Amino acid sequence: MNIPSAPATSLTTKDLKTDQDVRWCPGCGDYSILAQTHRTLPELGIPREKIVFISGIGCSSRFPYYTNTYGMHSIHGRATAIASGLKATRPDLSVWIITGDGDGLSIGGNHLIHLLRRNFDVNILLFNNQIYGLTKGQYSPTSEFKKLTKSTPYGSIDYPFNPVALALGADATFVARSMDVASKHLPEIIKRAHAHKGTSFVEIYQNCNIFNDGAFMVYTEKATQPDEALFLEHGKPLIFGANRDKGIRLNGFTPEVVNIQETGTSDLWIHDETDQVKAQILARFFDDPAKPNHLPRPFGVFYVQQRPTYEELLEEQIQSVTERLGEGDLDKLLRGKEVWEIK
Amino acid sequence: MQATVETKEAVVIKFAGDSGDGMQLTGSQFTNEIVLGGSDISTFPDFPAEIRAPQGTLAGVSGFQLHFGSREIYTPGDEYDVLVAMNAAALKVNIKRLKKGGILIANTSGFDSKNLRLAGYDKNPLQDEQLGNYTVYEMDVTRLTRECLEGLPLGTKEKDRSKNMFVLGFLFWMYNKTPDSTIRFLQEKFDKDPVVLEANIRSIQAGYNYGDTTETFTTRFAVAAANLEPGVYRNIMGNQATVLGLITASKKSGLPLFYGSYPITPASDILHMLARHKNFGVKTFQAEDEIAAICSAIGASFGGCLGVTGTSGPGMALKTEAMGLAVMLEIPLVIIDVQRGGPSTGLPTKTEQADLLQALYGRNSECPMPVVAASSPSDCFESVFEACRIAIQHMTPVIFLSDGYIANGSEPWKFPAAADIPEIKVTFARPNGQPFMPYQRDEKLSRPWAIPGTPGLEHRVGGLEKENITGNVSYDPDNHELMVKLREEKVQRIADYLPQQKIEIGPEKGKLLILGWGSTYGVIKSVVKDLYEQEGLPVAHVHLRYLKPFPTNLGRLLRNFEKVLIPEINNGQLIKVIRDQFLIPAIGYNRIRGVPITKTELKEKALEVLQS
């Protein structure tokens, strides 16, 4: 995948800070995501006034207040719908949606899937901490089965969503996963998301150190990450492990972990971002890491597809209708087809 | 034998048949021919919510009522001069409103044993002396239509679809009309289907000739052109006028129109019609639900467009939270509510005025929004234009109320020339060297509209309480109280920019004022015309377009009358607001039957109040 090189811009990380005090809990993963975003945005070459951050409700949704661009902190679950109307009418803007697992997948689940299928050219950063933080610790639609929370004192009986699989199921054209503390990986994914023309869905594992601390520790900690996280690179074989000695091979449609030292690398699965079927299989690498013989959790870009964006199609339709019928004449419109005169 | 022609001042016709009988098309085509002849007219389509209720049943009866005349017409009429009944069920549902001495045109093939059973008749009412009060024209429309279509390569079922055209042709004969406009309409509609076109035209002609050649029919009627104000007119339905008003507001403000909506009866036609007008730069968006519809319009408005969403009662309920956001953001937005009977799904195709309190108060916390209501089909044009103007110039969401009756009803409209419609001035904020203050207010108390893409005005808005002037998030108690009062005062101050309330008809002072809003306009006006102009009684009519804020002279006006009567198609809503704001003992007249209030019943009530 080619990433267009960023044109020179005078925008700096400092310019993106606002005078508002950041009010996330100390130690929250949101700080890291904010920092990575502020670090990355200047590299994208977009003038600051063309950037709009739209969020819903939840901890993550305070994000726009801390970023000195245009922004709207809207209502629960609806950032995606608001962004749709904005992008439909203002294709010139770079629109970013900040949402969380509750905001985007629970109350806003409906709008999310429809945004993905319509393919507006906007970027979604979904901060997934698998818990409701702002309402103080209820389970979320991504919380694991049997999770003990304030609202599930005997364990959750809600089966969780797999956000990446959901996005693929809704025919998203760009689907990726990263994590809050991945200070090299996350900026790369943000750049890729921006470069993609169409809706970019980025799930970011984010630690809520108050209500769900350590939920993604196995993927973020140095000791466990190599064996638990699988970093996807287009055109490269799926290799992981502390000694880079484990690979993934497809046996029919079934993925299996092999020891490269025994099997060699020649028949390893080569990651192809444009392969939708394989992306669906990768999305199902979703086992509980406590389960024996589980597959590693993939990070990176699962899938990319080029498809016309909604706003392009809308503009094209307006243009072609206008060419055919001529620009609307208000007097003709008011007059209608048939009139009569009273003298 | 040549039939004699009798001149009528006004006529009410009701076309009634099964949902599949094409009564709506028949009614609207008849309407077109009538208006082209210059008569004034008011129409009232009345149809079931089911697309095709079981054939022949009472539930499946669909009707189209029209009232036209050589004088001004304000309502679709209380009683019918002519009833067309395509089957027994249509007769049963409608006969009680056929005038004594009226004409009943009955399709005899719709009165076979099956139809009679479905309509709940023990014996054929056409053979009953009960119909002795009426002039009954029996015609076997089904057989006559099939006969005239003989030789056309169509099945019986297809041929029967032209039955309504036969009846229409007959009515054209009866009312001395030529079917020119209908034939043009059919030519356009069936330009790819010459056989169906031929069937329709043949049926119309056959119906016309049937009247001409069958000696049973001895009288034809003529209704002269109405003495309307000179000018060029067209016929218009309420939803159509709403669409034209929106497009006009877009052109006159220079703001591209964005319409986010989710299909719902009786508002869907606004979406359908706007979607056809892409060459006016109109962007329509069929959202996944009512919430997304309003939110998309908020997004468009944030970006500097004229954001509009449209729905009916249940959809309004779903949009409530987003309306609160728009109030907090203080950006222009127009929310159209074409009211229908409720609560819940209620009566989807029947009319009601019962969303007024929802429009005024139906949101969490203190959430003031201007409310504008249309009073007739053509008034939707000006009223929705006003809603757009207020939204843009006062930086506020505005609710526009229409209802099922005016949305689908039609009347002649002396349409304006585009050049005569005033511009709507829009001022986007520009950087002025000072730090940008998103909630700095002007003399109208409205805040600047700074749209993304403007360098130097980057700012954040949202649903959390705003600090006065800076717009920063604030939990300060005094600031919250101040902002609540400012938002209310901003809406109240709109009244300074509204025209004074005028009296529709009647004296400035008197015994009785009938105060109305929305679609009761026609019926109140016709009652007050009778009472004041003909009977010389001290009765006046005031009709409100602006329901929040009220025009500043309304209180003074109300106090000039001993009694104030407020007719509404709800259980008493405007009356609560009037009593609350003006502390007057207003009297309510409330009919909640899913149909417009009739002139007879309102006149009776007005006389009762006058005499009390």
Side-chain angles (χ1 to χ4, degrees), chain A residues 50-64:
Chain A
K50 292 276 193 187
I51 304 173
V52 183
F53 278 90
I54 299 185
S55 63
I57 293 293
C59 294
S60 59
S61 287
R62 297 297 176 97
F63 192 102

Side-chain angles (χ1 to χ4, degrees), chain A residues 196-216:
Chain A
H196 174 68
K197 204 161 168 39
T199 308
S200 306
F201 177 83
V202 181
E203 181 193 18
I204 303 169
Y205 283 170
Q206 175 247 320
N207 190 41
C208 171
N209 56 324
I210 304 296
F211 296 109
N212 202 19
D213 196 23
F216 305 108

Side-chain angles (χ1 to χ4, degrees), chain B residues 255-304:
Chain B
L255 299 176
L257 176 63
F258 176 88
Y259 186 72
S261 190
Y262 185 76
I264 184 168
T265 303
S268 301
D269 277 338
I270 300 174
L271 173 63
H272 304 161
M273 288 187 260
L274 279 172
R276 283 209 295 265
H277 291 113
K278 291 220 156 58
N279 59 329
F280 284 85
V282 175
K283 290 183 174 171
T284 55
F285 179 64
Q286 183 175 316
E288 58 273 21
D289 62 25
E290 296 282 359
I291 298 171
I294 183 170
C295 285
S296 65
I298 289 174
S301 178
F302 181 66

Side-chain angles (χ1 to χ4, degrees), chain B residues 83-99:
Chain B
L83 170 63
V84 176
M86 296 297 283
N87 64 13
L91 179 75
K92 186 152 201 180
V93 170
N94 290 287
I95 189 70
K96 52 187 175 292
R97 290 183 70 179
L98 181 60
K99 261 181 211 166

Side-chain angles (χ1 to χ4, degrees), chain B residues 270-406:
Chain B
I270 300 174
L271 173 63
H272 304 161
M273 288 187 260
L274 279 172
R276 283 209 295 265
H277 291 113
K278 291 220 156 58
N279 59 329
F280 284 85
V282 175
K283 290 183 174 171
T284 55
F285 179 64
Q286 183 175 316
E288 58 273 21
D289 62 25
E290 296 282 359
I291 298 171
I294 183 170
C295 285
S296 65
I298 289 174
S301 178
F302 181 66
C305 289
L306 174 55
V308 181
T309 185
T311 187
S312 186
M316 269 306 263
L318 283 165
K319 292 181 195 298
T320 300
E321 187 195 14
M323 280 188 235
L325 174 67
V327 166
M328 209 64 161
L329 298 180
E330 302 194 38
I331 53 170
L333 181 75
V334 173
I335 300 116
I336 297 172
D337 177 5
V338 186
Q339 302 163 93
R340 67 189 213 187
S344 186
T345 310
L347 304 168
T349 60
K350 308 292 174 193
T351 200
E352 208 160 272
Q353 296 184 295
D355 294 349
L356 177 62
L357 293 181
Q358 184 187 19
L360 291 170
Y361 306 117
R363 291 168 291 281
N364 63 303
S365 189
E366 301 290 342
C367 195
M369 278 169 72
V371 180
V372 175
S375 58
S376 75
S378 69
D379 186 57
C380 288
F381 177 80
E382 261 187 62
S383 291
V384 84
F385 184 86
E386 271 296 274
C388 296
R389 185 188 66 77
I390 293 170
I392 293 165
Q393 294 187 334
H394 296 266
M395 289 294 283
T396 176
V398 177
I399 292 173
F400 167 71
L401 294 175
S402 167
D403 67 33
Y405 167 40
I406 51 184

